[in-house]
Amino acid sequence: DWMRLTLSSSSDDDDGDDAIRQQRTSRIAELHKTMHEAHHLYEAALHVRSSLLPPHHPEVVASKFSLAELLDSPIVPVTGAAMTTTTEEEDDDVLDGERANALREEILDAYNVEEREDGAASAE
């Protein structure tokens, strides 16, 4: 939802105002750049924290959770000039739902959470 707020505009794209469209495209490109940078920072933080702390430590769990949320963020369409600043390879690097789910599983495993037959989760 933060992406929608970031990308919201006071007017519609159909109003024909090129300056507003260009500003929105620039904001989308900046958002992609920020997401890519955040991905690398979260990965680095997770690496350091995982090396120093046990898997169930709150800082490790918080890093995994934050990285998972970033990896599972909705894809923002990139058009026009923004396409030249963000490559498809960078998008694949940032947006990865499978890796996000694997990180979430690691969080559950760190706390020994298992799903019960009735669909509820329990911690041992």
Side-chain angles (χ1 to χ4, degrees):
D1 292 336
W2 59 272
M3 281 190 191
R4 287 188 201 130
L5 292 173
T6 303
L7 299 175
S8 65
S9 173
S10 60
S11 64
D12 295 329
D13 283 340
D14 296 335
D15 67 358
D17 190 355
D18 288 336
I20 291 173
R21 252 186 242 131
Q22 186 173 8
Q23 180 183 19
R24 184 169 185 209
T25 302
S26 173
R27 292 169 73 190
I28 290 171
E30 188 171 326
L31 179 61
H32 272 270
K33 181 181 175 185
T34 301
M35 288 179 65
H36 190 70
E37 182 179 351
H39 175 249
H40 290 292
L41 291 172
Y42 279 131
E43 288 283 0
L46 179 58
H47 176 75
V48 170
R49 289 175 176 168
S50 295
S51 298
L52 300 174
L53 303 168
H56 61 278
H57 192 279
E59 294 295 327
V60 175
V61 171
S63 295
K64 286 181 181 181
F65 179 81
S66 297
L67 179 56
E69 289 299 302
L70 177 69
L71 291 171
D72 211 18
S73 298
I75 298 174
V76 179
V78 179
T79 57
M83 289 187 93
T84 61
T85 61
T86 304
T87 65
E88 188 174 313
E89 183 178 296
E90 286 176 337
D91 285 343
D92 290 342
D93 192 26
V94 174
L95 304 171
D96 186 355
E98 288 180 24
R99 173 96 193 285
N101 289 334
L103 287 167
R104 291 181 184 117
E105 280 292 321
E106 289 177 18
I107 292 169
L108 295 175
D109 291 343
Y111 289 106
N112 297 321
V113 176
E114 295 181 9
E115 191 170 338
R116 298 187 314 210
E117 299 261 341
D118 62 2
S122 66
E124 293 179 3

